[in-house]
Amino acid sequence: HRDLHSFPTRRSSDLVARDHNDRGLLQESLKIYGKALRDLQSALWDPKRMYSDGTLVACMLLGLYEIFEGSDRKSLAWISHSQGAARLVELRGVDRHASKVSNFLFCGTRVPIILAAIVRRQATFLASPDWLTKPWEAQGMPKTWGDRLFDAMATIPSILELYDVVEGHVDSPALQQQGEKLLRTLIERCRETNQALQKWYAATREDAKPQVTQIAQPTNDGYPFACRYHFKNHLFAQALMMYWTSCLILQSVTRDINDILVPQKRIEWRPNDDTPLFPVSFFSTDEIESDLASLQPYMNPRQHALYIAQSISYFLLPEMGALGVNYVSFPMGMSFTFFRGTLLPGCKFTWKARKHNGPLESDSHISNEDEKIVIWFNETFEDMKSRGMPANWRFRGRDCLPL
C-alpha cells in the first residue's frame, strides 16, 4: 500500500519544512499527500483492496495528517476522513473485525469515528448491540478498560441527535405531546449514559487517576487555575480526558434541559413588541419533573471542563510530542467551547427560551475567572500554532456542541 508507505515521508517533510520555514518542502509534502489521496481512492474502487486492513489504516492515517495540517487551511477535514472510515468499517461488516489484528484496528478506528459523530451530532452504527459485542466475542477477547469507556461514548451522538429533534418541537404547540414523549426518552438516555460513565470511573485504578500539583496564584504566566494535573502515563491520561469530555457534553445537555424546564430558573420578561409569551415551561408534565430529578447528580459540566483544562499542560510537554497533541486536541476544544459559551451565551436550545421568555438567571453570573480562562485558552492556542501544533479546534457554527 503505497499510501501507507508515504505517510512517514509526508509527516517528516512537513515537520522539517515548518521548522525551517521552507515553503518549497511544505508544498512537496502537500503533493505527496495529494498522491496518497489518489492512491486511496484507487484502492476504494478496487473490490480486492477496498475491504483490506491496509486500506482502512490508510484512511485513518490521512485523517491524522488532516488533524496536524488542517490548522493552516482552517478546515475540519479530519471529520470527512472519519466519515469515510466509518462507511468503510460499516461496509466491511462486523464479522471482518473479529480477528485479533482486525479487532486491534477496529478499536483504534472507532475512536475518531465516534468523535466525528459527536461533532456532526448524528447517531453512529457503532452504538448498535452487534458492534458493541461481536468484534470481541468471536475470539473470546475481553474488553479493556478503554474499550468499555468508548462503548459508553458511542451513545453520545444519538443523544445529541435526539436533543435537536426535541428542540424542533419547542415552538410548535401542535407537536407538544409528541415532544414530551421524545423528551422523556432523551432524559432516560442521558441518565443511562451518565450512569455508565460513572460505573466506568468507579472501576478506575487509583494509580490511573491524575497527580495534582497545587499552583500558587497569581502566576507570572497567567495560568488561571489552582492546580495542574499530571499522569502516570499517556494511556491513563487519554482515557480520563475522554471521560471528562463525555461528562462535559452530557452534563451540558442535561443542565440546559433543566434550565428550560424548571420554572424557578426563569426570569419573566416580555418583549417590547408585545410578542406573546410561551408558557413558563415548554414541557411541564409531572412525569418529566420526576425524570429530571433523576438527572440532578449529572448537571455540573463546569467541573469537567476544569479537569480538562488543568490537564492540558501535561499533553503539551516536549516529551509527549505529536502524540500528546493528538490526544488533547478534542477535549481541549470542548473545554474551550464551554468556557467561551459562558461569555457568549446563546446555545441553540436555550436561545429559544431567551427568545420568548427573556434571559436566564445564569446569564448574569459571568465571572472574571471565566474571562481569564478564555484568555489563557487563546494564548495557549497561539503558542501551539507557533510550535507547529494544530490549533484549529475553536469550533464555529454547526460544529459547536450545545454547551
Side-chain angles (χ1 to χ4, degrees):
H1 293 87
R2 290 170 294 172
D3 39 2
L4 282 175
H5 295 158
S6 65
F7 180 80
T9 303
R10 291 197 308 276
R11 182 62 188 143
S12 299
S13 61
D14 186 82
L15 287 172
V16 173
R18 292 183 183 281
D19 287 344
H20 295 82
N21 197 25
D22 187 332
R23 287 192 167 274
L25 189 57
L26 182 60
Q27 288 299 316
E28 186 63 26
S29 171
L30 292 175
K31 287 181 181 178
I32 298 173
Y33 170 71
K35 184 176 183 301
L37 279 177
R38 292 191 294 273
D39 288 343
L40 177 59
Q41 187 63 54
S42 175
L44 292 173
W45 283 102
D46 185 342
K48 295 182 179 179
R49 297 171 61 198
M50 67 178 298
Y51 295 127
S52 72
D53 291 343
T55 298
L56 178 59
V57 174
C59 184
M60 297 313 300
L61 285 176
L62 291 175
L64 185 62
Y65 183 87
E66 287 292 350
I67 288 177
F68 283 97
E69 309 314 322
S71 55
D72 278 352
R73 298 189 293 279
K74 304 295 182 185
S75 72
L76 290 174
W78 69 273
I79 296 178
S80 297
H81 282 290
S82 295
Q83 287 180 261
R87 183 59 178 154
L88 184 57
V89 168
E90 190 173 17
L91 287 173
R92 280 162 55 102
V94 68
D95 293 333
R96 276 196 173 94
H97 301 91
S99 70
K100 187 172 182 179
V101 172
S102 296
N103 178 267
F104 178 79
L105 295 176
F106 169 72
C107 290
T109 302
R110 72 171 184 158
V111 178
I113 291 175
I114 291 170
L115 297 184
I118 288 174
V119 174
R120 299 185 70 246
R121 308 165 65 85
Q122 292 183 354
T124 171
F125 66 93
L126 294 176
S128 66
D130 280 353
W131 286 97
L132 289 173
T133 56
K134 287 186 176 180
W136 292 268
E137 287 179 348
Q139 298 292 326
M141 292 180 286
K143 286 191 175 182
T144 67
W145 180 60
D147 290 336
R148 293 191 295 272
L149 171 63
F150 293 117
D151 285 350
M153 286 187 66
T155 65
I156 294 177
S158 65
I159 289 173
L160 295 173
E161 185 176 61
L162 182 57
Y163 182 100
D164 288 341
V165 173
V166 173
E167 178 211 13
H169 291 70
V170 167
D171 285 340
S172 176
L175 297 175
Q176 183 171 344
Q177 185 175 3
Q178 181 183 359
E180 289 177 0
K181 293 179 181 179
L182 292 172
L183 181 58
R184 295 196 68 188
T185 300
L186 173 62
I187 292 172
E188 178 63 16
R189 289 188 187 176
C190 287
R191 185 185 63 80
E192 290 176 350
T193 302
N194 271 303
Q195 288 180 343
L197 288 168
Q198 301 314 310
K199 181 179 180 180
W200 176 86
Y201 185 74
T204 300
R205 291 163 32 183
E206 284 301 314
D207 64 343
K209 296 178 181 179
Q211 304 157 13
V212 181
T213 302
Q214 299 298 325
I215 305 295
Q217 295 291 334
T219 61
N220 294 330
D221 60 0
Y223 185 77
F225 309 108
C227 63
R228 281 190 173 93
Y229 286 175
H230 294 268
F231 303 84
K232 186 175 181 179
N233 61 52
H234 68 277
L235 296 176
F236 291 157
Q238 182 201 24
L240 287 171
M241 286 291 265
M242 287 301 174
Y243 164 73
W244 291 326
T245 302
S246 300
C247 291
L248 169 59
I249 295 170
L250 278 174
Q251 296 193 23
S252 294
V253 170
T254 55
R255 177 206 60 184
D256 286 350
I257 293 172
N258 184 71
D259 283 353
I260 290 176
L261 295 176
V262 179
Q264 58 266 31
K265 294 201 173 185
R266 297 282 192 79
I267 296 176
E268 290 297 335
W269 172 80
R270 183 175 295 278
N272 293 331
D273 61 1
D274 292 327
T275 302
L277 291 177
F278 272 67
V280 173
S281 290
F282 293 120
F283 308 113
S284 56
T285 66
D286 292 339
E287 291 84 357
I288 289 179
E289 293 293 335
S290 176
D291 293 343
L292 277 173
S294 69
L295 291 179
Q296 289 302 320
Y298 312 118
M299 294 187 186
N300 189 10
R302 181 184 177 83
Q303 70 175 358
H304 300 290
L306 284 171
Y307 294 153
I308 294 168
Q310 290 166 170
S311 304
I312 290 171
S313 59
Y314 169 82
F315 291 90
L316 301 184
L317 291 171
E319 57 265 34
M320 289 293 290
L323 186 67
V325 178
N326 185 36
Y327 284 165
V328 78
S329 293
F330 190 84
M332 185 177 181
M334 294 298 95
S335 181
F336 172 77
T337 300
F338 175 83
F339 287 112
R340 184 188 62 177
T342 64
L343 296 176
L344 301 172
C347 77
K348 296 193 304 125
F349 205 73
T350 53
W351 178 82
K352 288 184 177 291
R354 293 184 183 96
K355 177 181 177 182
H356 297 294
N357 293 55
L360 301 176
E361 282 188 57
S362 58
D363 290 352
S364 62
H365 297 162
I366 297 172
S367 67
N368 184 53
E369 178 185 358
D370 289 336
E371 292 183 21
K372 291 179 180 179
I373 291 173
V374 172
I375 291 171
W376 175 81
F377 263 107
N378 282 319
E379 291 174 348
T380 303
F381 280 123
E382 292 305 317
D383 178 61
M384 290 173 66
K385 289 177 66 176
S386 70
R387 293 160 61 187
M389 299 177 178
N392 61 326
W393 298 91
R394 284 168 275 194
F395 298 110
R396 299 177 296 276
R398 283 296 298 176
D399 298 320
C400 288
L401 293 171
L403 304 181

